[in-house]
Amino acid sequence: MKYLKIGVAVAGAAATVAAVTVAALSPAQHTAGTVAASTVSSDSASALRASILDGSLWRTHKVVNSCAGPKKYRIGCDFGLVAASGDASKPASTTEPAGLGPYDLARTFHLPAGKGKGGTVGIVTMAHHPSLESDLVAYRKQYGLPACTAANGCLKVVGENGGKPPATTVRLPLLSQLAQSYTLETAMDVEMVSAACPNCKILVVEQPIEPASIAAGAAGFPQLDAQHEANATNTAIKLGADAVSISYFIGNGMQSDILTEGALPERMHHPGVPILSAAGDLGFLGIKPKDQNWPQQLPFMISAGGVELTSADGGQTFTKKAWGKVEGGQKYMSSSSGCSTTLPPANRQPASVAKLCQGHRATTDISAAASGLTIYDTYWPTASADPVGGWGVGVGTSAASPYLAGLFVRAGAAKKVSGPNTIYRAPRGAIEDVTTGSNMENGAEGCGDAPTVLCVAGPGWDGPTGVGVPNGLGAFRPAS
């Protein structure tokens, strides 16, 4: 399969698609969106893609969510995989991509033709992923993207402080679950960067899993976890990252003052380097400091929310809504939002938005796709018998953060970015507003006493989607 150019030609403020260059798509993938799911197995690539496009996937499939656990006071991954219809404990695996891939995303976000400018995107993650390079090779080859390997200098994997990566996690029940959580995110991270910026180099900074610090975080004392994350972020920037993505969150817990005041948060402040952080998958977080997700709440971070994409024409055009639904009859998974009432507004965040949070930081800032996405991953440390993995379908704001980080670097003006300043000062037409959906199962009622816009999408800024989704690359450059 060849995929020669990621992008579409755009004309006018409405960003009408004038042309799309997608060369020599394989017949199976090109026609998958038009095959009725009822004519083939519900786990075939064509049936999965059809149900993703029409929004019916969750009627038949659940989610393998290795991030399961208490809502608060933990290091949380923001990612899950669509489960096999006959076994909800295993991911659905296909022999070819079933989910939304680079050309779908380029089309829906109206990216310009060509692969864009180069640069380096840093990925901050946990646990060593032993098959990351080979999995990335498979993903990029499938879509005809330039090779990205350690040998050609495109992919570099280091440890928390820039040395060797940590050893592969020992296969013990709890450790394996944690490793699975974070390595799945890492696979999605590098593949979403590839989709957004094919010419970008990728720098992965892996932190070791330390059970003691994770246990402390789960008990509401996450300072040590946050310090490790700050170390890894600074390592990525020191080694040349032009933008950084962090796909997992740390709950503030009992140490919200330490995480939001003083030296620790300042270590995450890097004007000229956009740092994207997944908003989380837990819906509206309310206004209590202990309930917020770190570091996306910091005013100099860019909080990445998620939207669901559906299509009525086989993937030619897409409709966007705030991502939030009961995934396969399980818990309600959705893009997080909230108020950080001990922090000032985000950089350039309008007073009208901050007013919703009593003059303080409101999240999120901007969104990208967070549901029905293609992932290729073969490392599944919790598997005890039959092999699992390969092509799968992912959900979670963990996909939005690296994708948006890739767009910042592709736009070629990251050094002029300071937090979400360009997002809130984007030129007319550079953002597509998302006006439907909610991140709470019961909609406005789930907001409690807080303003409805914090958990229900509507015109202008809203909590679930921020300002909306990219419409080209204009939102990632300072306005002239």
Side-chain angles (χ1 to χ4, degrees):
M1 168 182 177
K2 299 294 184 183
Y3 186 81
L4 300 181
K5 291 186 179 181
I6 302 288
V8 301
V10 180
T16 302
V17 178
V20 180
T21 305
V22 181
L25 290 175
S26 66
Q29 185 169 351
H30 184 67
T31 60
T34 61
V35 177
S38 60
T39 64
V40 290
S41 165
S42 62
D43 284 345
S44 70
S46 58
L48 284 170
R49 181 170 171 84
S51 60
I52 289 167
L53 293 178
D54 67 19
S56 66
L57 178 66
W58 311 115
R59 300 174 195 167
T60 54
H61 290 74
K62 295 185 177 182
V63 172
V64 179
N65 186 0
S66 58
C67 314
K71 179 176 179 179
K72 301 166 185 172
Y73 310 154
R74 64 184 178 96
I75 296 184
C77 55
D78 299 314
F79 191 66
L81 288 173
V82 173
S85 59
D87 186 349
S89 69
K90 293 182 179 180
S93 181
T94 55
T95 57
E96 61 182 346
L100 305 176
Y103 79 95
D104 295 302
L105 300 178
R107 186 173 292 179
T108 196
F109 298 129
H110 306 127
L111 301 185
K115 298 182 179 70
K117 297 183 178 181
T120 300
V121 179
I123 300 297
V124 171
T125 187
M126 293 183 66
H128 179 56
H129 192 313
S131 62
L132 184 67
E133 182 174 7
S134 60
D135 289 346
L136 180 60
V137 166
Y139 180 90
R140 292 176 71 110
K141 182 177 181 180
Q142 174 69 27
Y143 292 106
L145 304 180
C148 187
T149 65
N152 69 11
C154 174
L155 178 67
K156 185 174 184 178
V157 182
V158 300
E160 178 180 329
N161 295 307
K164 292 182 179 180
T168 302
T169 306
V170 177
R171 292 199 179 214
L172 294 174
L174 176 59
L175 292 179
S176 290
Q177 183 180 18
L178 290 170
Q180 181 172 294
S181 299
Y182 299 116
T183 55
L184 278 170
E185 287 202 326
T186 307
M188 178 58 82
D189 287 339
V190 298
E191 289 165 13
M192 286 297 96
V193 169
S194 300
C197 186
N199 280 346
C200 282
K201 295 181 178 180
I202 303 173
L203 170 65
V204 180
V205 184
E206 297 177 334
Q207 305 162 67
I209 290 179
E210 295 189 356
S213 63
I214 290 177
F221 301 95
Q223 181 181 3
L224 185 56
D225 288 326
Q227 289 173 338
H228 285 302
E229 184 174 298
N231 290 344
T233 301
N234 280 271
T235 292
I237 295 170
K238 180 180 179 180
L239 294 179
D242 298 297
V244 176
S245 172
I246 305 170
S247 292
Y248 68 95
F249 69 85
I250 296 174
N252 279 355
M254 305 299 182
Q255 295 181 313
S256 61
D257 54 341
I258 296 175
L259 269 62
T260 59
E261 302 173 15
L264 180 55
E266 278 301 314
R267 295 187 64 208
M268 304 293 281
H269 188 196
H270 294 275
V273 180
I275 304 179
L276 285 290
S277 179
D281 298 348
L282 302 173
F284 180 51
L285 300 172
I287 63 173
K288 295 180 180 179
K290 66 183 180 65
D291 296 338
Q292 304 308 307
N293 293 338
W294 191 90
Q296 60 92 33
Q297 68 184 119
L298 298 175
F300 37 78
M301 304 292 286
I302 303 167
S303 176
V307 297
E308 178 186 4
L309 306 177
T310 55
S311 176
D313 57 11
Q316 297 303 304
T317 59
F318 290 89
T319 299
K320 297 95 175 172
K321 62 179 290 188
W323 174 57
K325 60 173 56 181
V326 177
E327 306 286 21
Q330 297 171 304
K331 71 176 185 178
Y332 196 78
M333 297 177 66
S334 60
S335 181
S336 291
S337 60
C339 293
S340 296
T341 55
T342 61
L343 291 169
N347 192 9
R348 297 292 183 174
Q349 191 168 56
S352 58
V353 175
K355 184 178 180 180
L356 298 167
C357 292
Q358 304 168 26
H360 298 280
R361 171 59 151 134
T363 54
T364 56
D365 296 317
I366 188 171
S367 293
S371 183
L373 296 158
T374 290
I375 180 174
Y376 188 85
D377 183 73
T378 60
Y379 178 53
W380 197 262
T382 61
S384 58
D386 297 333
V388 296
W391 293 107
V393 178
V395 298
T397 54
S398 284
S401 177
Y403 189 80
L404 293 167
L407 293 186
F408 268 105
V409 178
R410 179 173 176 170
K415 293 187 183 301
K416 297 180 181 180
V417 173
S418 180
N421 64 326
T422 64
I423 301 300
Y424 288 111
R425 293 293 186 269
R428 183 180 297 274
I431 296 287
E432 179 183 347
D433 198 5
V434 178
T435 60
T436 59
S438 173
N439 63 2
M440 296 300 285
E441 187 173 1
N442 52 352
E445 185 180 342
C447 295
D449 296 332
T452 300
V453 70
L454 289 173
C455 65
V456 178
W461 184 93
D462 56 71
T465 69
V467 296
V469 298
N471 190 15
L473 296 175
F476 306 103
R477 305 183 181 106
S480 57

